[in-house]
């Protein structure tokens, strides 16, 4: 071993040092010559020929941590890839019934997707919202399919932005490119300043009022007769019984024209709204008319109005009317009627608002702005002829209400299954 070799070398070195010490004490030259070989003995000593090697090694493998088992376990793991961005399909999207349906698809099939996240925000600009119009994204999470319908919306902006991203169990992917859908609505109220006195009108609701006209007439006559005696003055009796219109836009409908028009004219573009009648509402008409519709004219009986008419009194009839021409409709009266007016294209179509089935379509050329119109034919004189045994049950019909809800038309033309010309 190296230790024993070193011990032998030390012993030899001690012997040589003693010999050298004795040589230095010699005074006589002759005596010193005997020790001439001292240099060779010292230089050739085994102690000076000894080569020592370190016992330790520069190999550090024994200090390394063995991760081979962990590496093998990691290599067996299968990581989920980040999902690709979906693509929103504007053609399959639908804006109707105070709701927006957004549809999208994956460009590459990915069976690891768990759900989708849909985000939306309103804007008045076509495209992404500008800085001044910046609004926060509203999030809808955990959507399992590739389609989602936002219902109960209020279309108080011109557009809505949408984007969607896919998620798996581990991570959410990139957003799709934002898509802008138009949500501009035709918002209008009913014009109570020109409606028939027997119609009680409040914003978007109209109700039959059997005492409306008579109450106003009695009130006006009472004012005329107050303090009057003898023969009535021709000047006084010539005063009309109707109150002046608040807006002064047109004469109030009177006589048998139980009509009310909207307060917003349609002069261009495509517009859509819906009308819903209570189940006990027996007779009404829905359509459009020029502002020049006469105060005695009924919807559909002149060349200035177009409508569909529902009559459930003695016999059930459902018909389209224009210029006093009637076209019977062999379809069931829907719960809600959708009205689509393409002013520039000269098309007026009626739909079942729930099933989107086309009921009837007029094809014409509008020469003036049109107003949404509604006519209520369920007047009190008809009920008064009923027998007393049925009077109480028929009184409920006096509360026939019609609600108007307004929505922006979206791709309604693509759902037409019939197009009938009527001029």
């Amino acid at each position: 071993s190296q230790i024993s070799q070193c011990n032998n070398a030390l012993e030899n070195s001690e012997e040589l040092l003693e010999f050298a010490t004795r040589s230095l004490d010699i005074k006589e030259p002759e005596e010193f010559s005997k020790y001439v070989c001292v240099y060779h003995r010292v230089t050739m000593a085994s102690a000076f020929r000894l080569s020592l090697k370190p016992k330790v090694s520069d190999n550090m493998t024994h200090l390394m941590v063995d991760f081979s088992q962990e590496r093998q376990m990691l290599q067996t793991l299968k990581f989920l890839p980040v999902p690709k961005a979906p693509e929103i399909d504007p053609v399959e999207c639908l804006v109707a019934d105070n709701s927006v349906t957004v549809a999208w698809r994956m460009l590459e099939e990915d069976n690891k997707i768990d759900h989708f996240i849909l985000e939306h925000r309103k804007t008045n600009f076509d495209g992404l919202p500008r800085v001044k119009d910046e609004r926060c994204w509203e999030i809808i999470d955990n959507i399992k399919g590739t389609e989602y319908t936002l219902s109960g919306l209020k279309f108080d902006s011109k557009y809505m932005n949408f984007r969607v991203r896919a998620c798996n169990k581990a991570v959410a992917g990139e957003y799709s490119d934002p898509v802008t859908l138009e949500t501009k609505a035709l918002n209008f109220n009913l014009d109570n300043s020109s409606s028939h006195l027997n119609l009680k009108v409040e914003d978007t609701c109209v109700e039959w009022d059997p005492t409306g006209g008579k109450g106003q007439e009695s009130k006006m006559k009472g004012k005329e007769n107050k303090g009057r005696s003898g023969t009535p003055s021709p000047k006084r009796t010539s005063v009309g019984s109707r109150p002046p219109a608040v807006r002064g836009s047109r004469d109030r409908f009177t006589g048998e024209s139980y009509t009310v028009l909207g307060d917003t004219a349609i002069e261009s573009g495509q517009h859509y709204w819906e009308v819903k009648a209570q189940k006990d509402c027996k007779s009404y008409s829905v359509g459009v008319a020029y502002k020049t519709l006469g105060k005695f004219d009924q919807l559909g009986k002149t060349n200035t109005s177009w409508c569909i008419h529902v009559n459930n009194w003695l016999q059930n009839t459902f018909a389209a009317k224009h210029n006093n021409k009637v076209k019977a409709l062999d379809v069931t009266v829907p719960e809600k009627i959708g009205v689509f007016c393409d002013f520039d294209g000269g098309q007026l179509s009626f739909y079942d608002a729930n099933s989107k089935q086309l009921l009837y379509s007029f094809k014409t050329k509008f020469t003036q702005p049109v107003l949404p119109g509604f006519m209520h034919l369920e007047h009190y004189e008809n009920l008064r002829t009923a027998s007393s045994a049925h009077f109480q049950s028929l009184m409920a019909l006096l509360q026939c209400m019609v609600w108007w809800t307004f929505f922006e038309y979206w791709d309604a033309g693509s759902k037409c299954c019939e197009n009938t010309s009527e001029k």
Side-chain angles (χ1 to χ4, degrees):
S1 65
Q2 292 190 90
I3 295 178
S4 60
Q5 292 179 4
C6 290
N7 289 332
N8 293 333
L10 286 174
E11 292 176 359
N12 294 332
S13 297
E14 289 178 356
E15 183 179 351
L16 288 173
L17 287 173
E18 291 178 0
F19 182 80
T21 300
R22 289 195 300 271
S23 299
L24 292 174
D25 292 337
I26 297 175
K27 304 263 189 208
E28 298 295 333
E30 294 82 3
E31 189 69 22
F32 184 77
S33 61
K34 296 179 181 180
Y35 290 87
V36 175
C37 60
V38 171
Y39 172 79
H40 297 286
R41 291 180 63 180
V42 172
T43 57
M44 297 302 293
S46 58
F48 295 96
R49 297 194 304 268
L50 185 63
S51 295
L52 300 180
K53 295 180 179 181
K55 185 178 180 180
V56 296
S57 172
D58 57 357
N59 187 355
M60 306 295 290
T61 55
H62 63 288
L63 298 177
M64 296 176 63
V65 180
D66 186 6
F67 285 105
S68 59
Q69 184 177 358
E70 288 77 5
R71 184 183 298 108
Q72 184 179 1
M73 294 174 61
L74 291 174
Q75 290 174 347
T76 58
L77 295 177
K78 294 182 179 180
F79 292 95
L80 291 173
V82 177
K84 301 289 186 180
E87 181 182 68
I88 298 178
D89 188 358
V91 177
E92 296 298 324
C93 297
L94 177 66
V95 180
D97 301 343
N98 268 12
S99 63
V100 177
T101 298
V102 184
W104 59 88
R105 60 174 177 267
M106 297 298 297
L107 298 179
E108 298 179 6
E109 185 177 357
D110 188 351
N111 56 6
K112 301 297 183 182
I113 292 178
D114 179 68
H115 64 276
F116 295 91
I117 298 176
L118 177 66
E119 299 186 3
H120 63 91
R121 59 184 173 184
K122 296 180 179 180
T123 178
N124 287 316
F125 299 97
D126 186 6
L128 293 178
R130 305 180 183 183
V131 176
K132 293 183 179 180
D133 191 52
E134 192 74 25
R135 305 190 187 187
C136 296
W137 290 97
E138 297 185 39
I139 301 174
I140 302 173
D141 200 353
N142 200 32
I143 303 174
K144 296 299 183 181
T146 56
E147 181 179 297
Y148 188 82
T149 299
L150 288 84
S151 57
L153 297 175
K154 182 179 180 181
F155 291 152
D156 52 1
S157 63
K158 294 182 179 180
Y159 304 95
M160 287 185 68
N161 300 132
F162 295 90
R163 66 182 185 182
V164 65
R165 61 176 175 173
C167 304
N168 54 33
K169 293 290 186 180
V171 67
E174 294 293 329
Y175 285 104
S176 66
D177 292 333
V179 169
T180 301
L181 300 181
E182 186 176 6
T183 56
K184 180 182 178 182
L186 175 65
N187 294 306
F188 64 91
N189 292 326
L190 299 178
D191 184 7
N192 62 359
S193 67
S194 62
S195 61
H196 195 283
L197 290 175
N198 281 112
L199 297 181
K200 181 180 179 181
V201 177
E202 295 181 2
D203 295 334
T204 60
C205 176
V206 57
E207 177 184 0
W208 175 257
D209 183 5
T211 63
K214 293 185 177 181
Q216 279 291 359
E217 185 177 355
S218 300
K219 185 177 180 180
M220 294 299 295
K221 287 184 177 181
K223 290 181 178 180
E224 292 175 9
N225 295 331
K226 184 177 180 181
R228 178 168 38 166
S229 60
T231 305
S233 169
K235 186 176 181 180
R236 282 182 175 268
T237 56
S238 65
V239 177
S241 61
R242 67 173 178 85
V246 177
R247 303 184 186 184
S249 57
R250 57 161 294 124
D251 291 335
R252 184 179 291 275
F253 289 101
T254 187
E256 296 296 319
S257 180
Y258 301 97
T259 304
V260 59
L261 299 178
D263 62 358
T264 302
I266 298 174
E267 301 178 352
S268 63
Q270 298 174 334
H271 305 275
Y272 178 82
W273 63 96
E274 295 180 352
V275 181
K276 182 179 180 181
Q278 281 192 340
K279 293 182 179 180
D280 55 358
C281 191
K282 295 299 182 181
S283 183
Y284 59 94
S285 298
V286 178
V288 299
Y290 290 150
K291 189 176 181 179
T292 56
L293 181 68
K295 64 179 181 179
F296 296 103
D297 296 334
Q298 296 183 356
L299 289 181
K301 289 194 174 183
T302 66
N303 62 353
T304 60
S305 62
W306 299 256
C307 72
I308 57 174
H309 175 67
V310 178
N311 184 11
N312 294 324
W313 276 110
L314 300 178
Q315 57 180 359
N316 296 334
T317 59
F318 190 28
K321 292 184 177 183
H322 171 62
N323 202 16
N324 210 23
K325 295 180 181 179
V326 180
K327 172 68 175 179
L329 304 180
D330 188 18
V331 292
T332 304
V333 178
E335 179 184 359
K336 284 193 299 184
I337 297 176
V339 185
F340 166 59
C341 179
D342 182 358
F343 187 90
D344 301 320
Q347 179 181 346
L348 179 67
S349 300
F350 299 90
Y351 294 86
D352 182 332
N354 293 328
S355 66
K356 310 306 177 188
Q357 175 190 2
L358 178 67
L359 304 175
Y360 192 79
S361 182
F362 291 101
K363 190 65 178 177
T364 185
K365 182 179 180 180
F366 297 115
T367 58
Q368 304 177 33
V370 295
L371 296 166
F374 177 80
M375 187 168 66
H376 202 317
L377 301 178
E378 198 166 321
H379 54 82
Y380 182 78
E381 296 297 324
N382 288 343
L383 295 178
R384 196 170 60 177
T385 60
S387 63
S388 59
H390 296 86
F391 185 78
Q392 293 298 327
S393 61
L394 290 175
M395 283 297 292
L397 299 178
L398 298 178
Q399 302 302 320
C400 178
M401 303 281 291
V402 178
W403 284 271
W404 296 65
T405 49
F406 314 110
F407 310 92
E408 174 61 16
Y409 164 74
W410 183 265
D411 201 23
S414 63
K415 301 195 179 288
C416 294
C417 58
E418 177 184 353
N419 186 12
T420 306
S421 296
E422 180 75 20
K423 294 185 178 180

